[in-house]
Amino acid sequence: MALPGGNQAPRHPGRGRRKARYTEKGRQVSPAARDEIRALLGDEPRRPDLLIEHLHRIQDRYGCLSAGHLAALAAEMRLAMAEVYEVATFYAHFDVVMEGESPPPPLTVRVCDSLTCECLGAPALLDALPAAAGEGVRVVRAPCMGRCEEAPVAEVGHRHVTNATVESILACIEGAEHAPVIPSYVDFDAYVAGGGYRVLEECLSGARQVGDVIAALEESGLKGKGGAGFPTGRKWRFVRAEAGPRLMAVNADEGEPGTIKDRVYMETDPHRFLEGSLIAGWAVEAAECYIYLRDEYPGIREILLDEIARLDAAGMTARTRLILRRGAGAYICGEESAMLESIEGKRGEPRHKPPFPSQVGLWGRPTLINNVETLHWVRDILERGPGWFADEGRNGRSGFHSFSVSGRVREPGVKRAPAGITMNELLTEYCGGMAEGHAFRAYLPGGASGGILPASMADLPLDFGTLEAHGCFIGSAAVMVLSDQDDLKAAALNLMRFFEDESCGQCTPCRVGCEKAAVLMSDGRWDVPLLRELSTAMADASICGLGQAAPNPLLSILRYFPEELA
């Protein structure tokens, strides 16, 4: 036995003494990268739920996420490198560059290739731009940017180019300004001058009681405008009945192709939904309300940052603090539980239900989730009375819808119309009819996932529960109009490719099903029995609505447009 300090025989004869280790195991953090990350984050907290926000800071500053910066961020946040890497690679707006890889060019041009933009000229832009833009510019396909009324659309840096042509995009590229355009809108002072926040003040002062507010929403018949159509007042009541502490989240991740309504409301009158959010937060006693905004709306982010700061200064958020969170290019985060995962700083993968978010939501707490448009209506209903909303409607339906209309119409845009209006009525009364030279052939009543109906069925009432018997649904009321000049099989394939790109990959029926369906639909002659079998498997076994609804457009072609299969 060796004495302390004496020479010891090797533990493994023949190997000799082990060399001393002067560094930690695993990837080493570059001192330069560490200093850059610390300077970039400054005094910001290093909490795990802020991971996506911090990744955005790096992407915005350096144009990509290098391996060195990811390692430094992981060390700074005390997270495993795998945790940081799996989140960074999940979201489309993060450019991860590992060792030996070249960073992307300084400027990225995204061209929307969703259905309306494809119909109105996006393929020609994508063909011509790479060569025309030259070196230093990356041209990529992108999903819907929420500006379908001005299709085709491109984004140069963070500046949108609407009704885009090759010339207008090149002019933007060559210009010095690639920041978002901030539109004129009703700011805090103008909103208050018009009676804004009076209802909130009545709630906070005790002049209005929680029970009366929830009862008014129930009497109005207001349903969630994000797609599911769940009664709003009932949802508030369910969350309030759960044991506290409670939280709230606003779904502003408007990613369904064809949907533009939330963008229009936030760009023009943002305080109306912010007041609705604060009233909801008061009603369910939520100390914090997280607003999850899609990254395709950079101008709205600037608006909300400014206006929320003004609300803070005015003391309006003392009861419920408003916290703005930035998405990163993932359609799946429009699904409510995937949005919660993203707010928590994780990959946006849907959770299994039950439990529902009203019971177990953000960080395991009961969480109220409402869509932007849903909250937009709250002030008016409480101010004007529930009958003002409930008494609207046609064909036995009740309330309003904000229809996002795009495609082959003369006057696209957001149309606030009575629930239950028919497509023929919407087209004639609100859209100025079909575009010049186009004959009405088909329409999508609920965006990419809502199915496709023929013009011969344009007298159906448009509302929740009226279209399901026909294999369709209204969803977020994104209406896309197709004409005799559009290829319906190509339209269905466009939608399936969108779902293929946007599947989170968590469940096999959706991840593999969307890919296989797109391959089968790319064939000139569809294998109808196989597509039907595949659609059934996807609808029955997918975890969330993406995979369950993805087959709707192709099933609509099989059901209503058999001539396309000849």
Side-chain angles (χ1 to χ4, degrees):
M1 178 176 179
L3 296 175
N7 294 324
Q8 299 183 26
R11 294 176 63 186
H12 302 283
R15 289 191 187 179
R17 189 181 299 278
R18 294 179 64 182
K19 294 181 180 180
R21 179 181 294 279
Y22 295 101
T23 60
E24 296 179 358
K25 290 184 177 181
R27 182 187 298 274
Q28 300 305 300
V29 177
S30 157
R34 178 198 60 208
D35 292 345
E36 287 169 348
I37 292 300
R38 287 179 176 175
L40 192 61
L41 300 188
D43 296 331
E44 291 293 321
R46 271 58 167 173
R47 301 192 315 266
D49 62 292
L50 293 173
L51 173 58
I52 296 172
E53 295 293 313
H54 295 340
L55 290 171
H56 272 303
R57 286 186 173 86
I58 301 171
Q59 177 80 34
D60 290 345
R61 172 63 180 82
Y62 294 100
C64 65
L65 304 176
S66 69
H69 283 148
L70 290 178
L73 180 64
E76 191 68 13
M77 298 186 70
R78 300 192 175 187
L79 296 172
M81 180 63 179
E83 293 179 85
V84 175
Y85 181 80
E86 72 171 7
V87 171
T89 54
F90 181 86
Y91 295 93
H93 288 187
F94 293 141
D95 294 305
V96 177
V97 179
M98 302 308 289
E99 290 98 336
E101 297 179 346
S102 300
L107 184 63
T108 295
V109 176
R110 291 183 166 88
V111 179
C112 176
D113 69 348
S114 289
L115 182 56
T116 299
C117 284
E118 182 175 273
C119 289
L120 297 178
L125 297 178
L126 285 162
D127 287 343
L129 277 173
E135 295 183 4
V137 178
R138 175 178 59 163
V139 178
V140 298
R141 295 176 178 271
C144 185
M145 298 179 186
R147 298 177 181 274
C148 311
E149 81 279 27
E150 300 173 302
V153 180
E155 187 181 22
V156 179
H158 290 298
R159 180 169 291 243
H160 287 99
V161 181
T162 56
N163 302 121
T165 63
V166 172
E167 292 73 23
S168 63
I169 295 172
L170 292 178
C172 188
I173 291 172
E174 293 164 4
E177 188 56 75
H178 299 143
V181 175
I182 308 300
S184 59
Y185 63 93
V186 180
D187 66 6
F188 177 75
D189 292 335
Y191 185 74
V192 171
Y197 292 108
R198 186 185 304 146
V199 175
L200 174 64
E201 290 171 351
E202 291 170 354
C203 293
L204 297 177
S205 69
R208 290 179 184 263
Q209 301 299 311
V210 172
D212 295 334
V213 167
I214 294 178
L217 293 178
E218 290 175 327
E219 186 180 344
S220 74
L222 177 66
K223 296 179 180 179
K225 301 296 187 178
F230 192 85
T232 302
R234 191 188 307 172
K235 180 183 282 190
W236 289 23
R237 193 178 296 280
F238 284 169
V239 174
R240 185 174 172 83
E242 296 290 330
R246 308 177 195 95
L247 295 170
M248 181 178 170
V250 178
N251 191 339
D253 193 61
E254 182 182 48
E256 182 75 12
T259 312
I260 62 175
K261 59 187 177 64
D262 292 351
R263 187 210 93 223
V264 170
Y265 287 144
M266 288 188 287
E267 278 185 343
T268 57
D269 196 7
H271 283 280
R272 198 165 294 268
F273 102 85
L274 290 174
E275 182 173 10
S277 301
L278 292 173
I279 292 170
W282 161 81
V284 302
E285 297 179 345
E288 295 176 334
C289 172
Y290 291 83
I291 301 171
Y292 188 86
L293 179 70
R294 68 184 311 221
D295 199 34
E296 287 83 353
Y297 293 167
I300 295 174
R301 181 171 179 269
E302 297 300 320
I303 291 172
L304 293 181
L305 287 172
D306 289 344
E307 298 305 316
I308 290 172
R310 298 184 72 177
L311 286 173
D312 291 341
M316 298 281 190
T317 57
R319 188 74 64 91
T320 301
R321 188 161 69 100
L322 299 177
I323 303 167
L324 185 61
R325 287 293 173 85
R326 181 179 173 187
Y331 164 74
I332 190 61
C333 290
E335 196 278 336
E336 61 178 10
S337 64
M339 177 187 70
L340 299 183
E341 290 288 296
S342 191
I343 291 173
E344 292 181 3
K346 306 171 188 173
R347 296 162 61 92
E349 296 179 338
R351 301 173 180 176
H352 290 273
K353 302 174 188 176
F356 295 95
S358 59
Q359 303 165 305
V360 181
L362 280 170
W363 296 287
R365 299 179 184 179
T367 302
L368 174 65
I369 302 175
N370 280 139
N371 162 266
V372 167
E373 189 201 344
T374 308
L375 297 164
H376 178 91
W377 292 110
V378 169
R379 171 194 163 184
D380 282 330
I381 290 172
L382 297 179
E383 207 168 49
R384 304 185 186 196
W388 166 79
F389 190 88
D391 292 344
E392 291 294 330
R394 296 184 186 179
N395 299 306
R397 315 305 295 182
S398 177
F400 288 104
H401 280 301
S402 299
F403 292 95
S404 304
V405 184
S406 65
R408 307 296 191 175
V409 298
R410 194 181 299 272
E411 300 170 10
V414 176
K415 313 296 180 179
R416 193 175 92 169
I421 192 172
T422 69
M423 185 63 232
N424 277 331
E425 292 169 337
L426 185 66
L427 184 60
T428 303
E429 299 176 29
Y430 290 83
C431 303
M434 293 293 292
E436 187 69 29
H438 291 267
F440 183 26
R441 187 180 182 198
Y443 66 105
L444 288 75
S449 55
I452 307 173
L453 290 171
S456 60
M457 298 177 67
D459 288 321
L460 295 172
L462 298 176
D463 197 13
F464 298 115
T466 62
L467 304 176
E468 282 75 359
H470 306 285
C472 296
F473 55 79
I474 192 172
S476 60
V479 177
M480 293 187 274
V481 180
L482 302 175
S483 78
D484 58 337
Q485 298 183 30
D486 294 313
D487 182 337
L488 299 187
K489 284 177 65 178
L493 177 58
N494 174 284
L495 300 173
M496 186 58 72
R497 284 174 171 161
F498 167 79
F499 292 124
E500 179 188 4
D501 288 341
E502 296 298 333
S503 173
C504 74
Q506 180 181 187
C507 69
T508 303
C510 177
R511 181 185 68 249
V512 177
C514 289
E515 178 188 359
K516 296 303 182 185
V519 171
L520 290 170
M521 294 167 71
S522 298
D523 194 353
R525 192 170 188 86
W526 286 8
D527 186 336
V528 173
L530 186 55
L531 281 170
R532 288 191 186 278
E533 183 180 355
L534 180 60
S535 297
T536 299
M538 293 170 65
D540 289 348
S542 295
I543 290 174
C544 80
L546 191 156
Q548 294 163 11
N552 285 345
L554 83 86
L555 292 174
S556 296
I557 299 298
L558 301 183
R559 183 174 184 179
Y560 296 116
F561 305 95
E563 69 277 7
E564 292 289 313
L565 305 176

